[in-house]
Amino acid sequence: MEKRKLKRFQVVALMAGSVVVLGFLTGIFVKNRAENKAYVESSPVTIQRTLLRKTSRRIVLLFYRPGCRYCQQIKRQVNRNEAQLKTSRQKKTSVFLKIRTTNPANIRVLDRYQVESTPTFMVIKKGQVLKQYSGTNPAKIDQLMLGGDAK
């Protein structure tokens, strides 16, 4: 009888351990999938309205091209930073817009800011470009997306 109880305990412990491990692996999978999701382009109307207002809010622009391998390379970092912006205090002070350079409706914006390569990040405040960066350096991307307004 003692042996039977021991085996039953081992089976229950093994099943509980398996559930915990599966839950952990599922969490990692879901997180990685969310971070690596495709860019969701901001609508041209939203872009125009946001940029026309000379607001004191910090506007971060990402100019990207769907087939650009460098844009794909930084996608996880951009999505992670965007999620961090949404949950931080900066949510009320920052706006993040993703602008697809291949969309004909965005030509005016591309011309206005003279975007020639992707990925390009810009920080705009009160209608003025404070910072601009083209490239994939993770530290510079973090600084632009999450940093302050100093030039």
Side-chain angles (χ1 to χ4, degrees), residues 9-149:
F9 174 76
Q10 288 173 333
V11 169
V12 169
L14 181 65
M15 288 176 65
S18 298
V19 168
V20 170
V21 169
L22 283 174
F24 178 74
L25 293 175
T26 302
I28 290 174
F29 176 73
V30 168
K31 181 181 179 204
N32 284 341
R33 194 168 171 192
E35 287 179 351
N36 208 20
K37 67 182 177 183
Y39 288 121
V40 178
E41 176 185 11
S42 303
S43 77
V45 173
T46 302
I47 294 167
Q48 290 295 331
R49 285 183 183 166
T50 304
L51 294 176
L52 286 176
R53 291 188 211 130
K54 298 208 188 282
T55 179
S56 61
R57 291 177 76 180
R58 198 172 162 268
I59 303 169
V60 180
L61 306 176
L62 164 60
F63 294 92
Y64 76 97
R65 186 172 39 93
C68 169
R69 75 177 192 173
Y70 301 110
C71 298
Q72 297 301 314
Q73 179 181 332
I74 63 166
K75 188 183 338 177
R76 178 176 290 178
Q77 179 183 7
V78 168
N79 288 335
R80 192 177 319 123
N81 286 349
E82 183 180 19
Q84 190 174 342
L85 271 176
K86 286 180 180 176
T87 60
S88 74
R89 284 185 278 156
Q90 290 183 345
K91 180 179 181 181
K92 295 177 183 170
T93 60
S94 295
V95 177
F96 183 61
L97 300 173
K98 297 175 189 162
I99 302 171
R100 183 169 52 102
T101 58
T102 56
N103 185 342
N106 294 330
I107 289 176
R108 285 186 186 158
V109 177
L110 295 172
D111 289 343
R112 178 179 177 186
Y113 295 108
Q114 301 173 352
V115 175
E116 296 178 3
S117 63
T118 57
T120 294
F121 292 85
M122 282 187 195
V123 177
I124 299 172
K125 192 169 185 179
K126 296 182 182 175
Q128 298 294 319
V129 176
L130 299 179
K131 299 178 192 176
Q132 181 174 345
Y133 172 69
S134 295
T136 60
N137 182 316
K140 289 187 179 185
I141 292 170
D142 285 346
Q143 182 184 13
L144 274 171
M145 288 185 73
L146 304 173
D149 296 330

